Amino acid sequence: MKQSELLPHLFRTEYTKIISVLCKKFGFSQIEMAEDITSETFLTASQAWGLNGIPENPVAWLYVVAKNKAKNLVHRDSILQNKVLPYLQKESFIFDSELDLSEENIRDSQLRMIFALAHPSIPLESQIGLSLRILCGFGIDEIAKAFLSNKETINKRLLRAKNKLRENNIKLEFPNSLELGERISSVLRTIYLLFNEGYCSQTQDSILRKELCLEAIRLCSLLLENKETNTGEVNALLSLLCFHISRFEARLSGEGEIILYEDQNRKLWNQEFIKKGEYFFFQANLEPKFSKYHLEAAIAYWHTCPEETEKKWESIFQLYTGLLEIEPSPLLLLNKAYALFKLKGRDLALKELQSLDLKTNPYYFFLLGELNAELEPEKANSYYNKALVYANTELDKLVIRRRMKR
């Protein structure tokens, strides 16, 4: 791998490890210092490798430089000397300037960081932004692009989130057994939303979108490496994410536009991710505790079955019925109506839709257009036009116009 490719790759994979270890060492209140050390490490690498070439073991090289920069900062930084270290000593913390960058400590530090950044006191949007920056190594430009925002807004949002963590004195510690259930729900929600930022994002950058999804999968996988967080709920979420990403390539056109389920090229579905999804779903059902992720994973599993059978749509319909009891939402109601259409036909689905009060929802009118497209194309177009009126994004409008032309 060339230096121009290697450094961005290592930034993505090693940034989160180094910064998590530094925050575990010096406390979460020193997150800016940890970010500075880590960023300077990569800046030094870009300069040194440009002159001397890539070292034999680039990762070990980065760790040595990060250790040395941390040591140097400890010796010269008066704030660290006068405030941070005395506090750590008061807490019976035995300080040495060596950083523990063993695999075990890196995993433990990242796991603690996941729980810190998913703290309930931080707004969800900020949780995702901080996770992208700290846990996934995304640059501010990339985060801004993912949120369809600008650098200034993202920087302010991240700064507010960090201040919130300090105000609430959030520590990098693993929750005790009494708190674990509630806290892990927050972590899973953050990972789920992070995945959705990629899977349902409105940016047309398909590479960025897929990277967001893969980072969510990596973070969820990290939870499985600790026996206390290797739960049925975590396995169910990971199963769901694997099933979803298995159809990623088929779901997007070359221009980044959404391709609807029935139009997807089944040959592009990733069988390796489907098998992984099946494995984690089996693991999820080894314990009796049940979650919404179990139901969503089961629905996603049936969507990876290419055959259009009655059993498939009967199962999806029943699963949506169960999911609506746990978490009612307009989108789930529409998905259930579509499953009814595939199972019982147009008339029953239309009757179901007429009972819904979703008169400003673009997906409601889009589905009505779909149900009428074959038999009453003029009526279908009138529904598609209403969907266009209420559509919020250009990508949604592109999909609707494409259906109208067809």
Side-chain angles (χ1 to χ4, degrees):
M1 195 180 288
K2 297 176 184 177
Q3 183 190 326
S4 59
E5 299 169 340
L6 180 61
L7 265 177
H9 168 74
L10 290 176
F11 189 87
R12 185 81 85 229
T13 59
E14 306 308 318
Y15 179 91
T16 171
K17 296 176 183 178
I18 296 171
I19 204 169
S20 297
V21 170
L22 286 166
C23 284
K24 182 183 176 183
K25 182 80 169 176
F26 298 115
F28 200 67
S29 62
Q30 300 302 310
I31 188 168
E32 273 92 358
M33 182 197 73
E35 287 182 290
D36 288 343
I37 290 173
T38 310
S39 297
E40 284 179 20
T41 297
F42 280 92
L43 179 61
T44 303
S46 69
Q47 294 167 341
W49 297 2
L51 291 172
N52 307 318
I54 298 170
E56 189 174 333
N57 189 334
V59 173
W61 190 99
L62 289 170
Y63 288 178
V64 169
V65 172
K67 282 184 181 183
N68 290 337
K69 287 187 180 294
K71 282 184 192 177
N72 293 339
L73 194 66
V74 166
H75 291 306
R76 74 171 188 261
D77 194 309
S78 61
I79 294 176
L80 193 63
Q81 289 284 354
N82 298 327
K83 293 185 178 179
V84 179
L85 298 186
Y87 167 76
L88 293 175
Q89 286 157 4
K90 255 192 259 178
E91 297 287 317
S92 304
F93 179 88
I94 300 171
F95 178 77
D96 62 66
S97 56
E98 284 297 321
L99 278 182
D100 179 1
L101 284 159
S102 64
E103 281 190 33
E104 184 180 356
N105 192 53
I106 287 172
R107 278 198 302 271
D108 181 67
S109 301
Q110 285 185 288
L111 196 60
R112 290 170 183 241
M113 183 66 83
I114 289 172
F115 276 95
L117 297 185
H119 196 274
S121 68
I122 311 172
L124 279 174
E125 204 171 45
S126 297
Q127 287 182 23
I128 297 168
L130 274 179
S131 296
L132 287 173
R133 180 65 181 151
I134 306 302
L135 290 172
C136 306
F138 277 74
I140 301 300
D141 285 332
E142 290 174 300
I143 298 172
K145 194 173 183 182
F147 281 110
L148 300 179
S149 185
N150 57 65
K151 288 173 66 175
E152 185 182 354
T153 301
I154 296 301
N155 275 319
K156 286 179 180 177
R157 185 183 299 168
L158 296 184
L159 181 61
R160 283 196 299 269
K162 289 174 189 175
N163 289 337
K164 197 81 173 173
L165 285 166
R166 286 196 194 90
E167 289 165 13
N168 288 279
N169 196 26
I170 307 303
K171 292 181 169 57
L172 251 72
E173 57 189 16
F174 197 77
N176 61 44
S177 54
L178 295 175
E179 296 177 330
L180 187 60
E182 183 181 342
R183 292 293 301 281
I184 204 167
S185 293
S186 294
V187 168
L188 294 182
R189 180 181 55 181
T190 300
I191 292 173
Y192 181 79
L193 292 172
L194 175 58
F195 184 91
N196 280 346
E197 278 302 319
Y199 198 70
C200 302
S201 172
Q202 297 304 318
T203 175
Q204 289 182 293
D205 185 340
S206 59
I207 295 173
L208 173 60
R209 294 176 70 168
K210 190 169 186 180
E211 283 187 349
L212 288 167
C213 294
L214 290 172
E215 283 299 320
I217 288 173
R218 182 183 68 81
L219 294 178
C220 199
S221 301
L222 197 61
L223 294 172
L224 297 185
E225 294 180 19
N226 183 294
K227 64 179 181 180
E228 291 185 71
T229 54
N230 187 350
T231 66
E233 191 176 18
V234 174
N235 277 278
L237 176 58
L238 187 52
S239 170
L240 167 64
L241 303 187
C242 286
F243 284 138
H244 275 330
I245 203 169
S246 72
R247 295 191 293 111
F248 190 92
E249 304 298 341
R251 191 171 173 270
L252 291 177
S253 71
E255 294 75 39
E257 294 176 24
I258 298 295
I259 298 173
L260 298 178
Y261 179 72
E262 64 183 53
D263 297 328
Q264 290 174 12
N265 181 354
R266 269 58 173 165
K267 291 178 182 177
L268 293 178
W269 291 358
N270 187 309
Q271 295 302 315
E272 185 180 346
F273 271 117
I274 291 173
K275 287 186 175 66
K276 285 181 179 179
E278 291 171 352
Y279 169 79
F280 292 121
F281 191 66
F282 175 79
Q283 297 297 315
N285 288 286
L286 291 178
E287 58 181 61
K289 189 178 177 183
F290 187 75
S291 71
K292 71 165 193 163
Y293 300 122
H294 286 75
L295 286 170
E296 289 194 47
I299 292 169
Y301 159 74
W302 280 109
H303 278 91
T304 65
C305 299
E307 298 81 11
E308 297 293 301
T309 63
E310 184 176 342
K311 181 182 179 183
K312 171 180 174 175
W313 290 105
E314 171 69 32
S315 300
I316 291 173
F317 178 78
Q318 295 299 339
L319 288 163
Y320 273 124
T321 302
L323 193 55
L324 278 161
E325 292 178 9
I326 298 173
E327 194 176 71
S329 83
L331 189 58
L332 290 180
L333 287 167
L334 293 174
N335 287 338
K336 181 187 172 186
Y338 181 75
L340 183 62
F341 161 61
K342 299 294 283 186
L343 180 65
K344 298 291 186 181
R346 173 176 174 267
D347 292 342
L348 279 177
L350 286 171
K351 187 176 179 182
E352 178 87 1
L353 285 171
Q354 285 164 4
S355 68
L356 303 179
D357 185 19
L358 299 171
K359 300 303 187 286
T360 59
N361 187 307
Y363 305 112
Y364 170 77
F365 290 110
F366 182 80
L367 183 52
L368 283 170
E370 293 289 278
L371 298 188
N372 285 283
E374 191 173 331
L375 296 178
E376 299 184 67
E378 286 186 15
K379 183 184 281 191
N381 269 334
S382 71
Y383 285 127
Y384 286 137
N385 275 313
K386 286 184 180 179
L388 275 175
V389 171
Y390 295 111
N392 295 315
T393 70
E394 285 305 314
L395 282 177
D396 282 344
K397 290 175 183 178
L398 280 171
V399 172
I400 296 165
R401 290 191 186 105
R402 195 168 65 224
R403 300 301 271 190
M404 290 175 77
K405 286 179 183 176
R406 187 165 124 178

